[in-house]
Coordinates of all heavy atoms in Angstrom, one line a residue:
S1 N 3.3 35.7 4.4 CA 2.6 36.3 3.3 C 2.7 37.8 3.4 O 2.7 38.4 4.5 CB 1.1 35.9 3.3 OG 0.4 36.8 2.4
N2 N 2.8 38.5 2.3 CA 2.9 40.0 2.3 C 1.5 40.6 2.2 O 1.4 41.8 2.3 CB 3.8 40.5 1.1 CG 5.2 40.1 1.3 OD1 5.7 39.9 2.4 ND2 5.9 39.9 0.2
D3 N 0.5 39.8 2.0 CA -0.9 40.3 1.9 C -1.5 40.5 3.3 O -1.6 39.6 4.0 CB -1.7 39.2 1.1 CG -3.1 39.7 0.9 OD1 -3.7 40.4 1.7 OD2 -3.7 39.2 -0.1
P4 N -1.8 41.8 3.6 CA -2.3 42.1 4.9 C -3.6 41.3 5.3 O -3.7 40.9 6.4 CB -2.6 43.6 4.9 CG -1.8 44.1 3.7 CD -1.6 43.0 2.8
K5 N -4.4 41.1 4.3 CA -5.7 40.4 4.6 C -5.3 38.9 4.9 O -5.9 38.4 5.9 CB -6.6 40.4 3.4 CG -8.0 39.8 3.8 CD -8.9 39.8 2.6 CE -9.6 41.1 2.4 NZ -10.6 41.1 1.4
L6 N -4.4 38.3 4.2 CA -4.0 36.9 4.5 C -3.4 36.8 5.9 O -3.6 35.9 6.6 CB -3.1 36.4 3.4 CG -3.8 35.8 2.2 CD1 -2.7 35.3 1.2 CD2 -4.7 34.7 2.5
Q7 N -2.6 37.8 6.2 CA -1.9 37.8 7.5 C -3.0 37.9 8.6 O -2.9 37.2 9.6 CB -0.9 39.0 7.6 CG 0.3 38.8 6.8 CD 1.2 40.0 6.8 OE1 0.8 41.1 7.2 NE2 2.4 39.8 6.2
E8 N -4.0 38.7 8.4 CA -5.1 38.8 9.4 C -5.8 37.5 9.5 O -6.1 37.1 10.6 CB -6.1 39.9 8.9 CG -5.8 41.3 9.3 CD -6.9 42.2 9.0 OE1 -8.0 42.1 9.6 OE2 -6.7 43.1 8.1
I9 N -6.1 36.9 8.4 CA -6.8 35.6 8.4 C -5.9 34.5 9.1 O -6.4 33.8 10.0 CB -7.1 35.1 7.0 CG1 -8.2 36.0 6.4 CG2 -7.6 33.6 7.0 CD1 -8.4 35.8 4.9
H10 N -4.7 34.5 8.8 CA -3.7 33.6 9.5 C -3.7 33.8 11.0 O -3.8 32.9 11.8 CB -2.3 33.8 8.9 CG -1.3 32.8 9.3 ND1 -0.4 33.0 10.3 CD2 -1.1 31.5 8.8 CE1 0.3 31.9 10.4 NE2 0.0 31.0 9.5
S11 N -3.6 35.1 11.4 CA -3.6 35.4 12.8 C -4.9 35.0 13.5 O -5.0 34.5 14.6 CB -3.4 36.9 13.0 OG -2.2 37.3 12.6
Y12 N -6.0 35.3 12.8 CA -7.4 34.9 13.3 C -7.4 33.4 13.6 O -7.9 32.9 14.6 CB -8.5 35.3 12.3 CG -9.8 35.0 12.8 CD1 -10.5 35.8 13.6 CD2 -10.5 33.8 12.4 CE1 -11.8 35.5 14.1 CE2 -11.7 33.5 12.8 CZ -12.4 34.3 13.7 OH -13.7 34.0 14.1
I13 N -6.9 32.6 12.6 CA -6.9 31.2 12.7 C -6.1 30.7 13.9 O -6.5 29.9 14.7 CB -6.5 30.5 11.4 CG1 -7.5 30.7 10.3 CG2 -6.2 29.0 11.7 CD1 -7.0 30.3 9.0
E14 N -4.9 31.4 14.1 CA -4.0 31.0 15.2 C -4.7 31.3 16.5 O -4.5 30.6 17.5 CB -2.7 31.8 15.1 CG -1.9 31.4 13.8 CD -0.6 30.9 14.1 OE1 0.1 31.4 14.9 OE2 -0.2 30.0 13.4
R15 N -5.4 32.4 16.6 CA -6.1 32.8 17.9 C -7.3 31.9 18.1 O -7.7 31.7 19.3 CB -6.5 34.2 17.8 CG -5.4 35.2 18.0 CD -5.9 36.6 18.2 NE -7.0 37.0 17.3 CZ -6.8 37.6 16.1 NH1 -5.6 37.8 15.6 NH2 -7.9 37.9 15.4
N16 N -8.0 31.4 17.1 CA -9.3 30.8 17.3 C -9.5 29.4 16.8 O -10.6 28.9 16.8 CB -10.4 31.7 16.5 CG -10.5 33.1 17.0 OD1 -11.0 33.3 18.1 ND2 -9.9 34.0 16.3
Y17 N -8.4 28.7 16.5 CA -8.5 27.4 15.9 C -9.1 26.4 16.9 O -9.6 25.4 16.5 CB -7.1 26.9 15.5 CG -6.2 26.5 16.6 CD1 -6.1 25.2 17.1 CD2 -5.3 27.4 17.1 CE1 -5.3 24.9 18.1 CE2 -4.4 27.1 18.1 CZ -4.4 25.8 18.6 OH -3.6 25.5 19.6
K18 N -9.1 26.7 18.2 CA -9.8 25.7 19.1 C -11.3 25.8 19.0 O -12.0 24.8 19.4 CB -9.3 26.1 20.6 CG -7.9 25.8 20.8 CD -7.4 26.2 22.2 CE -5.9 26.1 22.3 NZ -5.4 26.6 23.5
E19 N -11.8 26.9 18.4 CA -13.3 27.0 18.2 C -13.5 26.4 16.8 O -12.6 26.1 16.0 CB -13.7 28.4 18.1 CG -13.2 29.3 19.3 CD -13.7 28.8 20.7 OE1 -14.9 28.3 20.7 OE2 -12.9 28.8 21.6
K20 N -14.8 26.2 16.4 CA -15.1 25.7 15.1 C -15.0 26.9 14.1 O -15.7 27.9 14.3 CB -16.5 25.1 15.1 CG -16.8 24.5 13.7 CD -18.1 23.7 13.8 CE -18.6 23.2 12.5 NZ -17.6 22.9 11.5
I21 N -14.1 26.8 13.2 CA -13.9 27.9 12.2 C -14.3 27.3 10.8 O -13.8 26.2 10.4 CB -12.5 28.4 12.1 CG1 -12.0 28.9 13.4 CG2 -12.3 29.4 10.9 CD1 -10.5 29.3 13.4
T22 N -15.2 28.0 10.1 CA -15.6 27.5 8.8 C -15.1 28.4 7.7 O -14.8 29.6 8.0 CB -17.2 27.4 8.7 OG1 -17.7 28.7 8.8 CG2 -17.8 26.5 9.8
L23 N -15.0 27.9 6.5 CA -14.6 28.8 5.4 C -15.6 29.9 5.2 O -15.3 31.0 4.9 CB -14.5 28.0 4.1 CG -13.3 27.0 4.1 CD1 -13.4 26.1 2.8 CD2 -12.0 27.7 4.2
D24 N -16.9 29.6 5.4 CA -18.0 30.6 5.2 C -17.7 31.8 6.2 O -17.9 32.9 5.9 CB -19.3 30.0 5.5 CG -19.8 29.1 4.3 OD1 -19.4 29.4 3.2 OD2 -20.5 28.2 4.5
E25 N -17.4 31.4 7.5 CA -17.2 32.4 8.5 C -16.0 33.3 8.1 O -16.1 34.5 8.2 CB -16.9 31.7 9.8 CG -16.5 32.6 11.0 CD -16.0 31.8 12.2 OE1 -16.1 30.5 12.2 OE2 -15.6 32.5 13.2
L26 N -14.9 32.7 7.7 CA -13.7 33.4 7.3 C -14.0 34.4 6.1 O -13.6 35.5 6.1 CB -12.5 32.5 6.9 CG -11.9 31.7 8.1 CD1 -10.9 30.7 7.6 CD2 -11.3 32.6 9.1
C27 N -14.8 33.8 5.1 CA -15.1 34.7 4.0 C -16.0 35.9 4.4 O -15.8 37.0 4.0 CB -15.9 33.8 2.9 SG -14.8 32.6 2.1
F28 N -16.9 35.6 5.3 CA -17.8 36.7 5.8 C -17.0 37.7 6.6 O -17.1 38.9 6.3 CB -18.9 36.1 6.7 CG -19.8 37.2 7.3 CD1 -20.7 37.8 6.6 CD2 -19.6 37.5 8.6 CE1 -21.5 38.8 7.1 CE2 -20.4 38.5 9.2 CZ -21.4 39.1 8.5
L29 N -16.1 37.2 7.5 CA -15.4 38.2 8.4 C -14.4 39.0 7.6 O -14.1 40.2 7.9 CB -14.6 37.4 9.4 CG -15.4 36.7 10.5 CD1 -14.6 35.8 11.4 CD2 -16.1 37.8 11.4
F30 N -13.8 38.4 6.5 CA -12.7 39.1 5.8 C -13.1 39.5 4.4 O -12.2 39.9 3.6 CB -11.5 38.2 5.8 CG -10.9 38.0 7.2 CD1 -11.2 36.8 7.9 CD2 -10.2 39.0 7.8 CE1 -10.7 36.6 9.2 CE2 -9.7 38.8 9.1 CZ -10.0 37.6 9.8
G31 N -14.4 39.5 4.1 CA -14.9 40.0 2.8 C -14.2 39.4 1.6 O -13.8 40.1 0.7
T32 N -14.2 38.1 1.6 CA -13.6 37.4 0.4 C -14.5 36.2 0.0 O -15.6 36.0 0.6 CB -12.2 36.9 0.8 OG1 -11.6 36.3 -0.4 CG2 -12.1 35.8 1.9
N33 N -14.1 35.4 -1.0 CA -14.9 34.3 -1.3 C -14.1 33.0 -1.2 O -12.8 33.1 -1.0 CB -15.5 34.4 -2.8 CG -14.4 34.5 -3.8 OD1 -13.6 33.5 -4.0 ND2 -14.3 35.6 -4.5
K34 N -14.7 31.9 -1.2 CA -14.0 30.6 -0.9 C -12.9 30.3 -1.9 O -11.8 29.9 -1.5 CB -15.0 29.4 -0.9 CG -15.8 29.4 0.4 CD -16.7 28.1 0.3 CE -17.7 28.1 1.5 NZ -18.6 27.0 1.4
T35 N -13.2 30.6 -3.1 CA -12.1 30.3 -4.1 C -10.9 31.1 -3.9 O -9.8 30.6 -3.9 CB -12.7 30.5 -5.6 OG1 -13.9 29.8 -5.7 CG2 -11.7 30.1 -6.6
S36 N -11.1 32.4 -3.7 CA -9.9 33.3 -3.5 C -9.2 32.9 -2.2 O -8.0 32.8 -2.1 CB -10.3 34.7 -3.4 OG -10.8 35.2 -4.6
L37 N -10.0 32.7 -1.1 CA -9.4 32.4 0.2 C -8.6 31.1 0.1 O -7.4 31.1 0.5 CB -10.5 32.2 1.2 CG -10.1 31.7 2.6 CD1 -9.2 32.7 3.3 CD2 -11.3 31.5 3.5
C38 N -9.2 30.1 -0.5 CA -8.5 28.8 -0.5 C -7.2 28.9 -1.4 O -6.1 28.4 -1.0 CB -9.4 27.7 -1.1 SG -10.7 27.3 0.1
N39 N -7.3 29.5 -2.6 CA -6.2 29.6 -3.5 C -5.1 30.5 -2.9 O -3.9 30.1 -2.9 CB -6.6 30.1 -4.8 CG -7.4 29.1 -5.6 OD1 -7.4 27.9 -5.3 ND2 -8.2 29.6 -6.6
D40 N -5.5 31.6 -2.4 CA -4.5 32.6 -1.8 C -3.8 32.0 -0.6 O -2.6 32.1 -0.4 CB -5.1 33.9 -1.5 CG -5.7 34.6 -2.7 OD1 -5.3 34.2 -3.9 OD2 -6.4 35.6 -2.6
F41 N -4.6 31.4 0.3 CA -4.0 30.8 1.5 C -3.0 29.7 1.2 O -1.9 29.7 1.7 CB -5.1 30.3 2.4 CG -4.6 30.0 3.8 CD1 -4.7 31.0 4.8 CD2 -4.1 28.8 4.2 CE1 -4.3 30.7 6.1 CE2 -3.7 28.5 5.5 CZ -3.8 29.5 6.4
K42 N -3.4 28.9 0.3 CA -2.5 27.7 -0.1 C -1.2 28.2 -0.7 O -0.1 27.7 -0.4 CB -3.2 26.8 -1.0 CG -2.4 25.6 -1.3 CD -3.2 24.3 -1.6 CE -2.2 23.2 -1.8 NZ -2.6 21.9 -1.4
S43 N -1.3 29.2 -1.6 CA -0.1 29.7 -2.2 C 0.8 30.5 -1.3 O 2.0 30.4 -1.3 CB -0.4 30.5 -3.5 OG -1.1 31.7 -3.2
A44 N 0.2 31.1 -0.3 CA 1.0 31.8 0.7 C 1.6 30.9 1.8 O 2.7 31.1 2.2 CB 0.1 32.9 1.4
Y45 N 0.8 29.9 2.2 CA 1.2 29.2 3.4 C 1.5 27.7 3.1 O 1.9 26.9 4.0 CB 0.2 29.3 4.5 CG 0.1 30.7 5.0 CD1 -1.0 31.5 4.7 CD2 1.1 31.3 5.8 CE1 -1.1 32.8 5.1 CE2 1.0 32.6 6.2 CZ -0.1 33.4 5.9 OH -0.2 34.7 6.3
G46 N 1.3 27.3 1.8 CA 1.6 25.9 1.4 C 0.7 24.8 2.0 O 1.0 23.7 2.0
D47 N -0.5 25.3 2.5 CA -1.5 24.3 3.0 C -2.9 24.9 2.8 O -3.0 26.1 2.7 CB -1.2 24.1 4.5 CG -1.7 22.8 5.0 OD1 -2.4 22.1 4.3 OD2 -1.4 22.4 6.2
T48 N -3.9 24.0 2.9 CA -5.2 24.5 2.8 C -5.6 25.1 4.1 O -5.0 24.9 5.1 CB -6.2 23.4 2.5 OG1 -6.2 22.4 3.6 CG2 -5.9 22.7 1.2
V49 N -6.7 25.9 4.1 CA -7.1 26.5 5.4 C -7.5 25.4 6.4 O -7.0 25.4 7.5 CB -8.4 27.4 5.1 CG1 -8.9 27.9 6.5 CG2 -8.0 28.6 4.2
I50 N -8.3 24.5 6.0 CA -8.7 23.4 6.9 C -7.5 22.5 7.3 O -7.4 22.1 8.4 CB -9.8 22.5 6.2 CG1 -11.0 23.4 5.8 CG2 -10.2 21.4 7.1 CD1 -11.7 24.2 6.9
G51 N -6.6 22.2 6.3 CA -5.4 21.5 6.7 C -4.6 22.2 7.7 O -4.1 21.5 8.6
Y52 N -4.5 23.5 7.6 CA -3.7 24.3 8.5 C -4.3 24.2 9.9 O -3.7 24.0 10.9 CB -3.5 25.7 8.0 CG -2.7 26.6 8.9 CD1 -1.3 26.3 9.1 CD2 -3.3 27.6 9.7 CE1 -0.6 27.1 9.9 CE2 -2.5 28.3 10.6 CZ -1.1 28.1 10.7 OH -0.4 28.8 11.5
I53 N -5.6 24.4 10.0 CA -6.4 24.4 11.3 C -6.2 23.0 11.9 O -5.9 22.9 13.1 CB -7.9 24.7 11.0 CG1 -8.1 26.1 10.6 CG2 -8.7 24.3 12.3 CD1 -9.5 26.5 10.2
N54 N -6.3 22.0 11.1 CA -6.1 20.6 11.7 C -4.7 20.4 12.2 O -4.5 19.7 13.2 CB -6.5 19.5 10.6 CG -8.0 19.5 10.4 OD1 -8.8 19.9 11.2 ND2 -8.4 19.0 9.2
K55 N -3.7 20.9 11.5 CA -2.3 20.8 12.0 C -2.1 21.5 13.3 O -1.5 21.0 14.2 CB -1.3 21.3 10.9 CG -1.1 20.4 9.8 CD 0.0 20.9 8.9 CE 0.1 19.9 7.7 NZ 0.7 20.5 6.5
L56 N -2.7 22.7 13.4 CA -2.7 23.4 14.7 C -3.3 22.6 15.8 O -2.8 22.5 16.9 CB -3.4 24.8 14.6 CG -2.6 25.8 13.8 CD1 -3.5 27.1 13.7 CD2 -1.3 26.2 14.4
K57 N -4.4 22.0 15.6 CA -5.1 21.2 16.6 C -4.3 20.0 17.0 O -4.2 19.7 18.2 CB -6.5 20.7 16.0 CG -7.5 21.9 16.0 CD -8.9 21.3 15.5 CE -9.9 22.5 15.4 NZ -11.2 22.1 14.9
I58 N -3.7 19.3 16.0 CA -2.9 18.1 16.3 C -1.6 18.6 17.1 O -1.3 17.9 18.1 CB -2.4 17.4 15.0 CG1 -3.7 16.8 14.3 CG2 -1.3 16.4 15.2 CD1 -3.5 16.4 12.9
K59 N -1.0 19.7 16.7 CA 0.2 20.2 17.4 C -0.2 20.5 18.9 O 0.5 20.1 19.8 CB 0.7 21.4 16.7 CG 2.0 21.9 17.2 CD 2.5 22.9 16.2 CE 3.0 24.2 17.0 NZ 3.3 25.3 16.1
Q60 N -1.3 21.1 19.1 CA -1.8 21.5 20.4 C -2.1 20.2 21.2 O -1.7 20.1 22.4 CB -3.0 22.4 20.3 CG -3.3 23.1 21.6 CD -4.5 22.5 22.4 OE1 -5.2 21.7 21.9 NE2 -4.5 22.9 23.6
R61 N -2.7 19.3 20.6 CA -3.1 18.0 21.3 C -1.8 17.3 21.7 O -1.7 16.8 22.8 CB -3.9 17.1 20.3 CG -4.7 16.1 21.1 CD -5.7 15.3 20.1 NE -6.5 16.2 19.3 CZ -6.6 16.1 18.0 NH1 -6.0 15.2 17.3 NH2 -7.4 16.9 17.3
N62 N -0.8 17.2 20.8 CA 0.4 16.6 21.1 C 1.2 17.3 22.2 O 1.7 16.6 23.1 CB 1.3 16.5 19.9 CG 0.8 15.5 18.8 OD1 0.0 14.7 19.1 ND2 1.3 15.7 17.6
Q63 N 1.2 18.6 22.3 CA 1.8 19.3 23.4 C 1.1 19.0 24.7 O 1.7 18.9 25.7 CB 1.8 20.8 23.1 CG 2.8 21.3 22.0 CD 2.6 22.7 21.6 OE1 1.6 23.4 21.9 NE2 3.7 23.3 21.0
H64 N -0.2 19.0 24.6 CA -1.0 18.7 25.8 C -0.7 17.3 26.4 O -0.5 17.2 27.6 CB -2.5 18.8 25.5 CG -3.4 18.7 26.6 ND1 -3.5 19.7 27.6 CD2 -4.3 17.7 27.0 CE1 -4.4 19.3 28.5 NE2 -4.9 18.1 28.2
Q65 N -0.6 16.3 25.5 CA -0.3 15.0 25.9 C 1.1 14.9 26.5 O 1.3 14.2 27.5 CB -0.4 14.0 24.7 CG -1.9 13.7 24.4 CD -2.0 12.9 23.1 OE1 -1.1 12.8 22.3 NE2 -3.2 12.5 22.8
T66 N 2.1 15.6 25.9 CA 3.4 15.6 26.4 C 3.5 16.2 27.8 O 4.2 15.7 28.7 CB 4.3 16.5 25.5 OG1 4.2 16.0 24.2 CG2 5.8 16.4 25.9
H67 N 2.7 17.2 28.1 CA 2.7 17.8 29.4 C 2.0 16.9 30.5 O 2.3 17.0 31.7 CB 2.0 19.2 29.4 CG 2.7 20.2 28.6 ND1 4.0 20.5 28.9 CD2 2.4 21.0 27.6 CE1 4.5 21.5 28.1 NE2 3.5 21.8 27.3
Q68 N 1.1 16.0 30.0 CA 0.4 15.2 31.0 C 1.3 14.0 31.4 O 1.0 13.4 32.4 CB -0.9 14.7 30.3 CG -2.0 15.7 30.3 CD -3.3 15.1 29.8 OE1 -3.3 14.3 29.0 NE2 -4.4 15.7 30.3
K69 N 2.3 13.6 30.7 CA 3.1 12.5 31.0 C 4.0 12.7 32.2 O 4.4 13.8 32.5 CB 3.9 12.0 29.8 CG 3.1 11.4 28.7 CD 3.9 11.0 27.6 CE 3.0 10.4 26.5 NZ 3.6 10.1 25.3

């Protein structure tokens, strides 16, 4: 995304996805509202905020399981 705020949100999620991140928290931290956040994130990254967080968690879990074998 070319939007600096969305890039910041994306980076924040990448750094903190192992913690519980809520839409309310993101809106508060980045001074936006849920509608804008959800629509802008989806159009920029092709996924919902929650969907993206879940994909990161699954990816991390799969990498962790691969290393344990």
Side-chain angles (χ1 to χ4, degrees):
S1 166
N2 294 333
D3 182 330
K5 186 183 281 187
L6 275 180
Q7 289 173 348
E8 273 187 67
I9 292 169
H10 190 262
S11 295
Y12 179 86
I13 291 170
E14 298 238 319
R15 287 191 314 271
N16 297 288
Y17 72 90
K18 292 175 188 172
E19 312 299 321
K20 182 167 173 38
I21 300 174
T22 65
L23 290 176
D24 287 328
E25 175 188 356
L26 292 173
C27 290
F28 176 76
L29 289 172
F30 295 99
T32 186
N33 63 64
K34 285 184 189 176
T35 305
S36 295
L37 173 62
C38 292
N39 291 340
D40 296 347
F41 194 92
K42 183 153 183 144
S43 63
Y45 298 106
D47 205 350
T48 63
V49 174
I50 301 304
Y52 182 69
I53 291 169
N54 289 337
K55 281 184 182 159
L56 288 175
K57 287 180 177 179
I58 290 166
K59 190 168 129 186
Q60 196 259 342
R61 201 175 307 130
N62 289 344
Q63 286 174 341
H64 185 70
Q65 286 172 348
T66 305
H67 292 305
Q68 285 187 325
K69 288 181 182 170

